[in-house]
Amino acid sequence: MAMTINEIYQYVVEQGIEKDPRKREGVEEMLEREKKSYEEMKDEEKKDYDTERLSNPYSDTRILCGDPETEVKRLMVGVDIEVGEVLLADRLAEKGKPVDLLVTHHPEGKALAGLHYVMHMQEDILARYGVPINVAEDIMSSRISEVKRGLMPMNHNRAIDSAKILGIPMLSAHSVADNQVASYLQELFDNEEPRTLGDIIKMLKDIPEYAEAARHNAGPEIIIGNKKRRAGKVLVDMTGGTGGSEDAYEKLSQAGVGTIVGMHIKEGHRKKAEKHHVNVVIAGHMASDSIGMNLLLDGLEKKGVEVIPCSGLIRHKRS
Ligand SMILES: [Zn+2]
């Protein structure tokens, strides 16, 4: 059995919407607004517009190269697919194990250059946890511009150019996977209501990907607070492109959030969280990205596609 690249792409986008923090209605509303603004564009603006944005709410999830109708029997998937992994796929082909599609979690090419668009998702997450939407939009606005500027000087197409030379198709699946891990953990904490930060760490370490990471010194850690501190209301902050605004911690604290469980945190953000008494648990970057990807890959394997994990992906299958 095989799937086409386009079928895989449609599948991951659909799964992303399924677990989107804005819910399906919120996503549909956003796509509707996008269509309206596209229709109002001048031809000049339409020329550069990526029309995938009309049906796919995730700018960081794209077919990056290759014919979408290509049949995929085997894919190689990593947290980062760089030139090294592209060459690795080509070596595998030489050894009689051709890779039909490279799947990168972290975006490349136009999916990287447009990463900042998905950050608007964070406005809705903040609003869901009690931050007024006007405040959420305002604090995210300057952070989104900052991220956009930070992406501008990058060599976005480097890995894709290598993949094109070797004729290996490539796809990125970022927020669609981050939505999986965020909703998976949020549901877990909402149901179990951990009393302390120690309980949160224990719950995380019961998950195979985190258990594996812990054995490699990359397991979940309490960054602010200690294991005896009470967790209060827990917010899983793992989707929406990249780290949000430093100003969010003050607003979340006021809105009643006790603990944030994230993948990683910048020093400036950590200081703001500490100042505003918000506990922070860092679950781990590669392990968290792996859970998100694994939840998608399980579905693809069920459809008959073989998966070769690489580049930091801790593969664990759930039944
Ligand atoms: Zn990541």
Side-chain angles (χ1 to χ4, degrees):
M1 247 178 18
M3 290 175 88
T4 65
I5 295 175
N6 192 44
E7 283 167 349
I8 292 173
Y9 171 65
Q10 299 297 343
Y11 175 81
V12 298
V13 170
E14 180 53 32
Q15 293 301 308
I17 295 172
E18 191 70 39
K19 302 291 180 185
D20 195 291
R22 295 165 293 195
K23 308 280 179 214
R24 189 172 290 272
E25 306 86 73
V27 172
E28 275 164 9
E29 205 184 312
M30 172 224 166
L31 291 173
E32 228 17 79
R33 274 193 319 257
E34 193 67 41
K35 273 176 209 156
K36 246 199 192 124
S37 75
Y38 177 70
E39 280 158 17
E40 284 162 9
M41 276 179 196
K42 296 190 186 101
D43 289 347
E44 191 64 22
E45 294 170 289
K46 279 186 180 169
K47 234 176 32 192
D48 294 334
Y49 182 84
D50 176 6
T51 51
E52 283 303 307
R53 289 180 63 184
L54 300 174
S55 56
N56 170 356
Y58 313 107
S59 56
D60 53 6
T61 301
R62 286 287 183 279
I63 297 173
L64 299 170
C65 66
D67 176 0
E69 294 312 314
T70 307
E71 291 241 309
V72 179
K73 291 202 184 84
R74 184 182 294 125
L75 55 83
M76 191 165 105
V77 50
V79 176
D80 296 279
I81 297 291
E82 299 294 349
V83 176
E85 283 76 21
V86 175
L87 292 173
L88 187 59
D90 189 56
R91 283 290 292 129
L92 274 177
E94 234 174 36
K95 290 183 164 194
K97 223 176 164 188
V99 169
D100 306 309
L101 176 66
L102 284 163
V103 178
T104 180
H105 174 55
H106 290 149
E108 298 279 343
K110 63 178 171 184
L112 175 59
L115 173 72
H116 57 282
Y117 291 118
V118 297
M119 293 178 73
H120 290 287
M121 197 167 15
Q122 296 187 40
E123 296 158 356
D124 289 76
I125 297 171
L126 290 170
R128 212 166 121 192
Y129 282 82
V131 179
I133 190 64
N134 55 306
V135 174
E137 286 189 353
D138 198 42
I139 62 177
M140 281 307 295
S141 159
S142 65
R143 174 65 183 144
I144 292 173
S145 313
E146 182 188 22
V147 168
K148 181 184 175 182
R149 288 193 303 274
L151 294 166
M152 285 165 70
M154 288 183 173
N155 187 355
H156 311 105
N157 281 314
R158 192 175 173 190
I160 301 168
D161 286 340
S162 309
K164 278 182 183 165
I165 289 171
L166 290 168
I168 311 171
M170 194 164 159
L171 173 142
S172 66
H174 189 230
S175 287
V176 293
D178 288 345
N179 282 357
Q180 309 299 315
V181 61
S183 78
Y184 178 82
L185 293 179
Q186 190 66 62
E187 250 173 58
L188 187 70
F189 295 133
D190 289 351
N191 291 336
E192 311 258 316
E193 295 181 355
R195 182 182 151 82
T196 64
L197 299 187
D199 293 339
I200 290 181
I201 294 287
K202 222 166 143 252
M203 285 170 70
L204 289 172
K205 284 189 176 171
D206 277 341
I207 299 170
E209 289 88 340
Y210 292 126
E212 171 80 13
R215 287 191 284 274
H216 295 103
N217 291 331
E221 297 275 352
I222 298 166
I223 300 299
I224 298 175
N226 62 55
K227 63 181 184 194
K228 291 205 173 100
R229 286 276 180 95
R230 299 235 240 143
K233 198 201 280 181
V234 178
L235 163 60
V236 177
D237 174 27
M238 292 201 183
T239 192
T242 184
S245 165
E246 285 184 10
D247 298 330
Y249 301 98
E250 181 182 7
K251 305 300 170 192
L252 286 170
S253 175
Q254 288 161 353
V257 171
T259 300
I260 289 179
V261 178
M263 289 195 196
H264 41 72
I265 192 166
K266 288 214 234 175
E267 197 53 20
H269 288 63
R270 192 194 64 80
K271 283 182 179 149
K272 283 286 173 75
E274 191 167 43
K275 183 176 170 201
H276 297 289
H277 324 289
V278 178
N279 298 320
V280 176
V281 172
I282 292 305
H285 188 184
M286 294 307 117
S288 302
D289 278 347
S290 292
I291 295 172
M293 290 304 282
N294 283 334
L295 291 167
L296 292 175
L297 293 169
D298 289 347
L300 293 176
E301 274 196 346
K302 256 184 222 139
K303 289 171 187 278
V305 179
E306 185 191 333
V307 171
I308 302 175
C310 72
S311 180
L313 184 84
I314 304 164
R315 178 77 181 118
H316 170 78
K317 293 176 204 187
R318 288 171 175 78
S319 51

